[in-house]
Amino acid sequence: MSERTTDSSRSSAADEGRTSRLTEAFVTHRNLLFTIAYEMLGSAADAEDVLQETWLRWVGVDPDTVREPRAYLVRITTRQALNHLRTLGRRKESYVGPWLPEPLLTAPDVAEDVELAESVSTAMLLVLETLTPTERAVFVLREVFDVEYDEIADAVDKTPVAVRQIAHRARAHVAARRPRESVSAGQARRALEAFKLAVETGDLRGLLDQLAPNVVAMGDGGGIKQAVLRPVVGAEKVARLFIGGMRKFGAQMSAELVQVNGGPALLTRLDGQIDGILSVRVEDGLVTAFYYVRNPEKLSRIQRETAMSR
């Protein structure tokens, strides 16, 4: 065997070893990276794009120069998610009707991690929508994933002092808008079951008993499926909206309890075909918000579980 052939073989083996190390690290942290991207974007499709871009950048790195693969990957993912967040913001400006986060069918272990379940809930993701892109990145990384300020600073291109100030501002902003109390999955499930029974039986009084006086109903059809174009506010109006819909489609519609975004939700079917996902926000034992996603482009993740982790 010639010296040139030997050198080529060694180089090829080295490349394979390098790629193997990079692949192993990426696979190890993939669920974490997806969860970060999803919490920053509220869109699984965009989160997957972010992961693809993260991989393309990661595969070009020399693993010998990376001390902490997790921190390095989180930094790449955050930067790519910030780029997508700004693009997504422009898309939302022309979106037909209310924009709601893409629902994800999740495994029981997500619900068991109370902090993770709350952070990916529709209610919390909508609260995060009110933050600036940088505030959202800092809040998610610090409050959900406990990333150190120095690492966050590298990811968002700010000084550690500035990141601390942003984190303080974001925490105060979120605290003023998040649910006042943590509701157990059991409480939310009971509220959904009672709601389902009242709607199916046309029990207006029973339904009103489940609703907070200022309850809000939001629908997301994306201009593809019919949905309320503006939030419906008030117990009486919301109750009549759902009972009216049941009277119109009752014979063709069915609903089952599923685990979505770390909490219970109703998967609805019309003539046996998936129609949408209905999730709720519960406070003080009453439903304060309904979120109904009917946009078919956002329903591709509700027939198989999506792995998430911290």
Side-chain angles (χ1 to χ4, degrees), residues 46-90:
D46 285 283
E48 290 290 359
D49 287 345
V50 164
L51 258 63
Q52 180 66 23
E53 291 163 8
T54 298
W55 166 252
L56 291 175
R57 283 159 177 77
W58 174 244
V59 79
V61 170
D62 179 356
D64 290 332
T65 65
V66 178
R67 187 173 58 184
E68 294 288 345
R70 180 184 187 274
Y72 198 103
L73 284 163
V74 166
R75 182 164 70 246
I76 300 174
T77 298
T78 301
R79 288 175 176 174
Q80 297 309 309
L82 280 170
N83 291 338
H84 274 259
L85 193 54
R86 296 178 179 110
T87 302
L88 193 56
R90 291 192 290 272

Side-chain angles (χ1 to χ4, degrees), residues 222-241:
I224 302 172
K225 287 282 193 75
Q226 184 177 357
V228 292
L229 293 178
R230 299 179 190 83
V232 177
V233 183
E236 189 80 25
K237 290 181 180 178
V238 170
R240 294 191 182 282
L241 171 70

Side-chain angles (χ1 to χ4, degrees), residues 65-278:
T65 65
V66 178
R67 187 173 58 184
E68 294 288 345
R70 180 184 187 274
Y72 198 103
L73 284 163
V74 166
R75 182 164 70 246
I76 300 174
T77 298
T78 301
R79 288 175 176 174
Q80 297 309 309
L82 280 170
N83 291 338
H84 274 259
L85 193 54
R86 296 178 179 110
T87 302
L88 193 56
R90 291 192 290 272
R91 293 211 310 261
K92 290 174 188 173
E93 291 175 2
S94 58
Y95 198 79
V96 178
W99 181 95
L100 292 175
E102 182 177 351
L104 307 178
L105 190 69
T106 48
D109 65 320
V110 176
E112 290 165 5
D113 184 336
V114 176
E115 288 186 16
L116 177 59
E118 183 194 17
S119 71
V120 299
S121 68
T122 299
M124 178 56 77
L125 291 174
L126 286 175
V127 171
L128 296 183
E129 285 289 312
T130 64
L131 297 171
T132 67
T134 301
E135 286 174 343
R136 186 166 184 169
V138 170
F139 182 87
V140 167
L141 292 177
R142 182 61 189 170
E143 299 302 310
V144 182
F145 299 95
D146 201 28
V147 177
E148 295 296 332
Y149 287 111
D150 288 351
E151 292 180 27
I152 298 174
D154 287 340
V156 300
D157 198 23
K158 301 284 185 184
T159 66
V161 172
V163 166
R164 287 179 182 273
Q165 293 172 340
I166 293 168
H168 177 75
R169 186 167 64 243
R171 275 195 298 268
H173 184 97
V174 170
R177 292 161 177 80
R178 76 195 310 169
R180 293 186 300 274
E181 62 177 14
S182 179
V183 176
S184 70
Q187 287 175 293
R189 187 179 300 106
R190 286 191 293 274
L192 270 172
E193 288 172 342
F195 162 79
K196 179 174 178 287
L197 178 62
V199 171
E200 287 175 345
T201 59
D203 181 4
L204 180 60
R205 183 70 262 164
L207 180 54
L208 287 170
D209 289 342
Q210 306 300 320
L211 308 181
N214 60 343
V215 62
V216 177
M218 299 175 66
D220 181 345
I224 302 172
K225 287 282 193 75
Q226 184 177 357
V228 292
L229 293 178
R230 299 179 190 83
V232 177
V233 183
E236 189 80 25
K237 290 181 180 178
V238 170
R240 294 191 182 282
L241 171 70
F242 282 112
I243 287 185
M246 196 62 191
R247 285 174 180 163
K248 183 177 180 180
F249 300 109
Q252 295 83 35
M253 181 165 279
S254 63
E256 64 175 303
L257 275 168
V258 291
Q259 197 80 6
V260 170
N261 288 53
L266 288 177
L267 168 62
T268 62
R269 297 178 188 273
L270 196 58
D271 291 324
Q273 301 298 311
I274 292 175
D275 182 70
I277 287 287
L278 179 70

